[in-house]
Amino acid sequence: MEFAKPHFFWLFLIFVPLIAWYIWKLRKQNPAMRTSSIAAVAALPTSYRALLRHLLFVLRLGALACLIVILCRPQVHSQWKNTNVEGTDIIIAMDISTSMLAQDFTPDRFGAAKEVASKFVNGRQSDNIGLVVFAGESFTLLPMTADKSTLLNAISTLEMGFIEDGTAIGDGLATSINRLVDGKAKSKSIILLTDGSNNTGLVAPLAAADIAKQKGIKVYTIGVGKNGSALSPVGINPFGKIEYDYLKVTIDENTLRSIASSTGGKYFRAVDNATLQNIFKEIDSLEKTEMDVESHRNVEDNYMLWAWLLLGFVGLELLLRHTVMRTLP
């Protein structure tokens, strides 16, 4: 413990005149009578009130001492601390094209992806994680951060419709790589989640995979969609509601598998909520590495103990003064 204003300790010198004044006051207040002998009263017991009469003054001094300590501002000193923990840099690249509203997942592919991504983030306490979204184009929704609450809020509030529709897997992968190249962790990885095949964008998926390989970035690809057909959005009716119909599920698994294998990652196929959740659990177990984390503890005032002691001294002094130590005028 340290004190922000230690010069206030000089106030303890006030105890000297206070104690001197108290002794002088006692001598002046107590009457004296000369007698040749005290044998007649020497054996009488001393009243407990006589023994406690000095306690009131001691309690006042204790309260004053606590007040002086509070004025000195006791603090818990801040410090930097280096710890070795498991951690990595991760970008979650999520497809937000209209087809992600297909209802072969509960409530749909998009909702299921958000749910498992949130659970994944909650379990990665020491990682820097960012969020990239892509459809007809891609952009960084949230750069890499260790602030899990901000990241979880970004995932929960993520909605569709604010970028052009399509599936630009290559662009989503390239944007994710750009966010990772400056990361400080030894291990860098991308979790790319999509339900289709690349049909637009400026960067070819395999070209982006080559860049990731050169940068030492692993890419875990996840194809989302059941086998066969699924109830998928096909248009919007005159009332602004999305219309659904059964469409064949088409995922370019060959490209996704090639991206993963060339970068040292792994390809997964999610056909329902349970398998999607298990995929993220497996990726969570694969992506563990040690990293040094520097943490800082802030300076905080730590005077509550002294404040409670001050309150206790004052309360006890008032209680004794108005009960057992009460005097009549």
Side-chain angles (χ1 to χ4, degrees):
M1 182 181 292
E2 294 188 358
F3 296 89
K5 299 181 181 295
H7 54 276
F8 279 115
F9 278 117
W10 287 103
L11 291 175
F12 276 105
L13 291 176
I14 200 174
F15 276 40
V16 175
L18 287 176
I19 294 173
W21 171 82
Y22 181 72
I23 295 173
W24 175 81
K25 181 180 178 182
L26 282 179
R27 290 181 176 177
K28 186 178 180 180
Q29 285 182 344
N30 293 337
M33 181 178 65
R34 294 180 180 274
T35 181
S36 59
S37 174
I38 61 171
V41 295
L44 293 177
T46 303
S47 171
Y48 72 94
R49 296 185 64 187
L51 296 175
L52 290 177
R53 62 176 181 162
H54 304 302
L55 180 59
L56 299 179
F57 180 68
V58 172
L59 291 174
R60 293 177 195 170
L61 292 182
L64 181 59
C66 291
L67 179 60
I68 293 173
V69 173
I70 293 174
L71 291 175
C72 292
R73 291 185 60 191
Q75 295 179 332
V76 177
H77 191 263
S78 62
Q79 64 181 20
W80 290 96
K81 183 179 180 182
N82 289 315
T83 55
N84 188 266
V85 298
E86 289 186 335
T88 183
D89 290 342
I90 300 174
I91 289 292
I92 299 175
M94 188 178 297
D95 186 348
I96 60 170
S97 58
T98 304
S99 59
M100 286 289 288
L101 294 175
Q103 297 179 351
D104 49 350
F105 285 67
T106 304
D108 49 41
R109 296 172 184 173
F110 182 58
K114 289 171 60 176
E115 180 181 355
V116 295
S118 296
K119 291 181 178 179
F120 176 80
V121 169
N122 265 326
R124 309 288 298 196
Q125 297 301 318
S126 303
D127 298 319
N128 289 315
I129 303 178
L131 182 62
V132 168
V133 295
F134 65 92
E137 53 187 345
S138 69
F139 74 95
T140 303
L141 187 65
L142 186 69
M144 285 191 302
T145 178
D147 187 347
K148 297 302 179 289
S149 59
T150 300
L151 185 57
L152 290 171
N153 182 65
I155 294 174
S156 65
T157 57
L158 177 59
E159 296 180 354
M160 291 185 172
F162 58 90
I163 55 177
E164 181 183 355
D165 201 19
T167 307
I169 296 176
D171 286 9
L173 187 54
T175 302
S176 302
I177 294 170
N178 288 335
R179 300 284 75 78
L180 280 171
V181 289
D182 295 328
K184 296 181 180 180
K186 295 180 181 179
S187 175
K188 299 179 176 65
S189 56
I190 298 170
I191 302 174
L192 188 143
L193 188 147
T194 183
D195 68 340
S197 57
N198 191 78
N199 55 25
T200 187
L202 302 175
V203 182
L206 295 181
D210 289 337
I211 298 174
K213 181 180 179 181
Q214 295 172 13
K215 301 294 183 181
I217 300 173
K218 294 180 183 179
V219 182
Y220 296 93
T221 53
I222 304 174
V224 182
K226 64 183 294 185
N227 296 312
S229 60
L231 191 61
S232 306
V234 294
I236 299 177
N237 63 27
F239 301 100
K241 300 290 186 179
I242 299 177
E243 293 186 339
Y244 290 84
D245 199 357
Y246 283 94
L247 299 177
K248 182 180 180 180
V249 177
T250 303
I251 300 175
D252 190 355
E253 293 192 275
N254 291 331
T255 298
L256 296 179
R257 191 175 286 108
S258 297
I259 293 172
S261 61
S262 66
T263 59
K266 192 174 181 179
Y267 169 69
F268 302 90
R269 177 68 184 268
V271 296
D272 53 34
N273 293 62
T275 56
L276 181 59
Q277 186 169 341
N278 289 333
I279 288 168
F280 270 84
K281 287 182 179 178
E282 183 173 347
I283 296 174
D284 180 57
S285 65
L286 292 172
E287 281 303 313
K288 296 287 187 182
T289 184
E290 289 190 349
M291 63 186 299
D292 291 328
V293 176
E294 191 178 53
S295 58
H296 180 255
R297 185 176 61 180
N298 291 326
V299 176
E300 294 182 359
D301 287 343
N302 188 25
Y303 58 84
M304 286 306 299
L305 173 61
W306 303 101
W308 283 112
L309 286 174
L310 170 61
L311 183 62
F313 285 138
V314 172
L316 184 56
E317 195 268 344
L318 290 174
L319 178 65
L320 292 176
R321 176 174 295 278
H322 292 88
T323 54
V324 295
M325 300 300 293
R326 183 176 58 181
T327 59
L328 296 176

